[in-house]
Amino acid sequence: MASSSSTLASLNLLPGDCDCQDAVRTLNTLQTNASYLEQVKRQRGDPQMQLEAMELYLARSGLQVEDLDRLNIIHITGTKGKGSTCAFTERILRNYGLKTGFFSSPHLVQVRERIRINGQPISPELFTKHFWHLYHRLEETKDSNSCVSMPTYFRFLTLMAFHIFLQEKVDLAVVEVGIGGAYDCTNIVRKPVACGVSSLGIDHTNLLGDTMEKIAWQKGGIFKRGVPAFTVLQPDGPLAVLRERAEQTSCPLYLCPPLEALEEGGPPLTLGLEGDHQRSNAALALQLAHCWLQQKDRQGVGEVKASRPSLVWQLPLAPVFQPTPHMRHGLRDTEWLGRTQVLRRGPLTWYLDGAHTSSSVQACVRWFRQALNRHKEPRSGTEVRVLLFNATGDRDAAALLKLLQPCQFDYAVFCPNLIEVSSMDNADQQNFTVTLDQVLLRCLEHQQHWNRLDEEQACPEPGGPVSLLLAPRPAHSHSTSSLVFSCISQALQWISQGRDPVFHPRSPPRSLFAHPVAGSGANVLREAAAIHVLVTGSLHLVGGVLKLLEPSLSQ
C-alpha cells in the first residue's frame, strides 16, 4: 500500500485540495483486486482472525470496542430483506424525534449512502473530513512489520461509520450486517440493544456454506448474551439452528408474530415499500423498534395485547402490541431505493428491484406481476415487456432466470454493472474486484442460459436471440429476443429509444442498432404504447440504472 502522501501525489493533489471524489478514489484503492480475490478463496484462513484484525484496526483508529456501546445499536442480519428491515426500523425510531445513524451496504449511486444521519446520506464535506482523518490515522499507526497496513474497503467504511456516529452523537445506530454475521466486521459490536434476523436463504455459499442450516449458523453469530433477538418465521431446519445458537449464548430469541396480528383491532398498516414480502420485514422492524424503546424507557411504545405462546421450535412469541401513530407513520413513510421501486416516465415504466437470491427473485416476480395488474391503464397500442438483468459472484444465474420466465418478456437484455465502458471519471461506481473480460463473458453466459430456457418453453416462432457481441447464429425457435450490451448506458439507450423524458444520454454509437434484431426491436420500442422494464438480479445493476435515470441522486 502506498503512503497517503504518495497516493495524493499520484492524483496531483494536496491534502487541502481533496474533494469528495478524491476521497472516494483513494477509498477504491482498498478494494481487493480480482486476482487477489481468487487467491483468497483458495487460501482462506481462520475467520475468527478476521474479527480480531477488525478490533486491532478499531484500536489503531483511536476507539475501543467498549466505545461502540454508546451507539445503542440495533444489529440486523438475514439473507433477504435485511436492508428493508433496517430502513423500516430507522424510520420508525426517527419519528420519535431520535437522532438516528444508519449503516448499510452496498450503495446504489454514491458511497455516502452507506452512512446516514437522520435518514440522509452524510454530506460530501462530512465524508471527506472523516475519510482523510481516519485514513491518515491508520497510516500513522501502521506496523512496519505488517504486510497489511490498511483495512479493506468494507472494513474501512465500517470503522468510518462508527467514528461518524459517535462524533455526531446519534441516539441510536441501525447497523446492517455485510455478509453472514458471525465473522462479519460489524460483529465487533459487543452490546447491541437488540438484534434481528430477516428471511434466510441461499447466498454467498463460498463464504457461508451451501445449506440453509450452515447459513443460519453464520447469521446467529450476531446473538449476544442477554440481548433480545428477533427472527421472522424461517424453515424448520434453519430455525432450529438459530434457537441452538441463542441457547449457546444465553440470548433471549423471539419469533415475530405476523403483521396481521398487530393489525387486529385497528386500521391496516400502510407500508412505504411495495410487495407482500415487505410485510415480514415490517413485522420484524416493529419488534426491534418496540424493544429498543422499551429498553431505553421511552414513552409511547404501544399497548401490549394478550399474546399466545409460540409452539414453533419452543421459541417464545414476541409481544403483540398496538402500533403507535409514530410507528404507523414510520412504516408508511419508509423509502428504500432500488427495492420494489417504480419510476413512471411517459410510456416507460421502470420496475427496480435488487433481488439476487432465488427466494428474493420469486418475491420480485410476484411483485412485478401484481404491479402490472394493479397499474394497468387502458391504452391503445402495443405493450412491450423488457427484462434488464445481471448477476454477480457465486449466484446461480440459470436458476434466477428460470424464475423470471413466467413474466413473459418480449426482450431480455443483459449487461455488466458498468455505467459506461470506462468508469474512470465516476469514482463511486468503480469496481476493481472483477475485470472487464470477466463481466462480459458472464453476461454472455446469462444470455445463453436464457436462450436455452426460452427454447424449452416457447412455441416455434421465426427469428431467434442474438448478441451484439457475437456473430449471428443460426435461427432457432424462441419467443424472446435477447441482447447483450457492454454497459448500462447503452442498454438503457436501446430500451428507452429517447422516450424517457429525464434520461438524455450522449448520441449512441452507430453500431448500437446495427444488428437486425436490435434494429427491429428499436422500431417496436419506438412505436409501443407502453414499455414495462424490470431491472433485477443485482443491486449494483439497479444502482447504475438509478444513477442514469435519477441524476439528482448524484448531487
Side-chain angles (χ1 to χ4, degrees), residues 170-371:
V170 298
D171 294 311
L172 71 129
V174 177
V175 176
E176 179 187 1
V177 166
I179 294 177
Y183 305 118
D184 186 74
C185 67
T186 64
N187 205 31
I188 59 171
V189 174
R190 300 264 178 94
K191 293 182 180 178
V193 175
C195 297
V197 184
S198 67
S199 295
L200 298 180
I202 300 293
D203 197 18
H204 300 294
T205 52
N206 63 325
L207 293 171
L208 306 181
D210 55 4
T211 68
M212 292 269 282
E213 287 74 17
K214 290 177 182 176
I215 290 170
W217 189 93
Q218 294 280 352
K219 306 292 184 181
I222 70 167
F223 296 160
K224 304 294 187 298
R225 181 182 182 85
V227 175
F230 301 85
T231 178
V232 301
L233 185 62
Q234 313 283 2
D236 288 351
L239 195 61
V241 172
L242 290 178
R243 180 176 63 85
E244 290 167 12
R245 288 286 264 166
E247 288 177 352
Q248 289 166 3
T249 54
S250 300
C251 162
L253 176 63
Y254 300 91
L255 185 66
C256 291
L259 205 58
E260 290 79 7
L262 278 69
E263 290 176 313
E264 288 179 10
L269 293 163
T270 301
L271 306 186
L273 306 182
E274 291 190 9
D276 290 342
H277 58 287
Q278 294 292 356
R279 291 181 64 80
S280 70
N281 299 330
L284 176 56
L286 283 169
Q287 293 296 340
L288 290 167
H290 182 264
C291 175
W292 192 96
L293 291 164
Q294 278 193 323
Q295 296 276 318
K296 297 300 175 182
D297 295 323
R298 296 278 174 165
Q299 300 298 312
V301 298
E303 181 183 348
V304 176
K305 306 176 185 178
S307 181
R308 58 187 184 281
S310 167
L311 300 178
V312 181
W313 287 107
Q314 295 82 49
L315 280 182
L317 199 67
V320 177
F321 56 89
Q322 187 76 48
T324 66
H326 285 321
M327 293 174 181
R328 289 181 171 276
H329 295 155
L331 293 175
R332 181 198 65 194
D333 296 339
T334 298
E335 295 179 351
W336 195 227
L337 297 182
R339 287 79 167 178
T340 60
Q341 182 181 1
V342 180
L343 296 175
R344 292 183 178 81
R345 304 282 185 74
L348 284 134
T349 306
W350 304 89
Y351 302 83
L352 310 174
D353 190 70
H356 51 271
T357 68
S358 291
S359 50
S360 60
V361 169
Q362 285 176 314
C364 171
V365 167
R366 287 194 297 271
W367 162 70
F368 177 63
R369 298 177 79 176
Q370 289 170 358

Side-chain angles (χ1 to χ4, degrees), residues 386-415:
V386 181
L387 170 67
L388 179 56
F389 178 90
N390 191 33
T392 60
D394 58 0
R395 274 119 200 171
D396 185 349
L400 302 184
L401 290 167
K402 187 171 185 177
L403 295 170
L404 290 160
Q405 285 272 316
C407 295
Q408 298 180 317
F409 294 104
D410 299 290
Y411 296 95
V413 178
F414 305 96
C415 71

